Amino acid sequence: MTNALQQAITLLQGAKQICILTGAGISAESGIPTFRDKQTGLWENFRAEDLASIEAFDRDPKLVWSWYQWRRNLVIDKQPNPAHYALANLEQWAINHNKTFYLITQNVDDLHEQAGIKATHLHGHLWKNKCSQCEASYDADNDYTQDMLLKCPLCDAYIRPDIVWFGEMLPHDEWQLAEYAVNNCDVFISIGTSSLVYPAAGLLQVAKRQGARIIEINLNPTQNPIIDLVISGKAGEILPSLVSALE
Ligand code: APR
């Protein structure tokens, strides 16, 4: 076992409250491209940042809707990978050892849930829709090959994915829960996120300020100086080794 894994085990064994933040990197081994990977196929000339905003939707709702339908098609058959299952086992280990455990995710897929663990989703849900005006939730049919725009039956505005776009507020209850979890944790693990997008990325600073030890698991670590322990590599390889060594 590497020295870094051994140190992580010691930190987890001593923790009372463990808080995990995941990003797109945890789903990469399930075959879902990360955000800062170059886009492929039809969308290779677009940046995610230029499609995921209300300005982009107002300018060209069909383009943005088509991109999300394409992403839904890409994600629909994807399965959790060993990293998702290892986190479900880590939660169980924490419960068995009287530790409090919180999983916060920036991901809009539901692979954590498919692996049997409930996550607090800061950036919304790929499979949900809402009205772009009155915000009423909308159950679309599930044909993700259809690019046709849908309209709200209540106010006739376009339906959009229920996802937090650049420039939008995070959902209130989820953010409050995340802040509470981080404010009381003594170990914080950041997994597969570039930590470039705020306010989620700011949770690392919140954890650090109140004295938590920060661990990062990343294929290309972020070089953030506030991180106490970096474990470099694939989440789908590191997390199962870490969790099986705890058991
Ligand atoms: N294991 C661990 N880490 C990985 C793996 C892997 N197999 N593959 C990639 N990574 C890391 C990359 O090195 C990178 O640091 O995952 C990170 C992915 O970063 P981003 O693509 O920026 O994803 P994320 O941090 O989740 O993006 C945050 O940005 O576009 C918005 O709302 C969107 O939630 C998203 C937010």
Side-chain angles (χ1 to χ4, degrees):
M1 186 184 308
T2 66
N3 194 23
L5 267 188
Q6 189 53 60
Q7 286 181 55
I9 288 165
T10 307
L11 288 175
L12 286 168
Q13 283 169 335
K16 289 199 180 66
Q17 181 156 313
I18 299 161
C19 192
I20 313 274
L21 175 67
T22 63
I26 198 165
S27 296
E29 289 158 75
S30 295
I32 302 176
T34 67
F35 282 92
R36 269 117 209 126
D37 280 344
K38 195 168 162 26
Q39 298 218 74
T40 52
L42 281 179
W43 300 96
E44 64 190 340
N45 297 322
F46 292 91
R47 293 185 327 143
E49 290 86 336
D50 296 333
L51 293 163
S53 74
I54 193 66
E55 292 78 18
F57 189 73
D58 285 346
R59 198 168 45 239
D60 193 343
K62 179 111 170 54
L63 178 82
V64 173
W65 181 253
S66 302
W67 183 57
Y68 278 101
Q69 293 293 78
W70 175 81
R71 284 185 57 201
R72 287 166 166 166
N73 246 320
L74 195 80
V75 172
I76 186 108
D77 62 347
K78 302 299 183 281
Q79 311 275 323
N81 68 58
H84 296 101
Y85 289 112
L87 285 185
N89 292 337
L90 181 60
E91 179 185 51
Q92 202 48 57
W93 172 85
I95 292 167
N96 294 343
H97 291 79
N98 292 321
K99 300 174 194 295
T100 315
F101 182 92
Y102 289 94
L103 173 61
I104 303 161
T105 188
Q106 298 163 88
N107 297 345
V108 295
D109 65 51
D110 61 358
L111 297 187
H112 285 306
E113 286 76 10
Q114 283 191 45
I117 178 168
K118 195 178 165 338
T120 297
H121 285 260
L122 294 181
H123 290 171
H125 302 267
L126 188 58
W127 306 113
K128 292 188 180 166
N129 291 295
K130 65 178 182 182
C131 173
S132 56
Q133 285 302 320
C134 73
E135 302 204 341
S137 62
Y138 181 92
D139 276 335
D141 65 31
N142 54 10
D143 181 359
Y144 300 115
T145 58
Q146 281 295 336
D147 280 351
M148 203 173 52
L149 283 166
L150 304 170
K151 288 216 166 169
C152 175
L154 303 174
C155 72
D156 208 37
Y158 288 127
I159 296 297
R160 56 166 278 185
D162 194 353
I163 284 177
V164 179
W165 283 338
F166 286 99
E168 293 183 326
M169 302 281 284
L170 300 193
H172 177 266
D173 293 356
E174 283 79 354
W175 180 246
Q176 276 214 320
L177 180 62
E179 279 194 312
Y180 171 80
V182 175
N183 265 314
N184 292 283
C185 74
D186 35 27
V187 172
F188 181 99
I189 315 182
S190 165
I191 304 170
T193 173
S194 58
S195 293
L196 291 172
V197 175
Y198 283 77
L203 292 173
L204 272 82
Q205 280 91 345
V206 176
K208 186 73 178 185
R209 261 201 309 275
Q210 58 85 32
R213 303 298 297 277
I214 318 282
I215 303 172
E216 176 181 38
I217 298 174
N218 197 311
L219 192 54
N220 295 299
T222 55
Q223 317 292 340
N224 184 338
I226 74 168
I227 290 164
D228 298 295
L229 179 61
V230 176
I231 311 179
S232 175
K234 292 184 170 179
E237 292 170 5
I238 292 166
L239 281 167
S241 330
L242 177 66
V243 177
S244 63
L246 280 168
E247 283 162 351

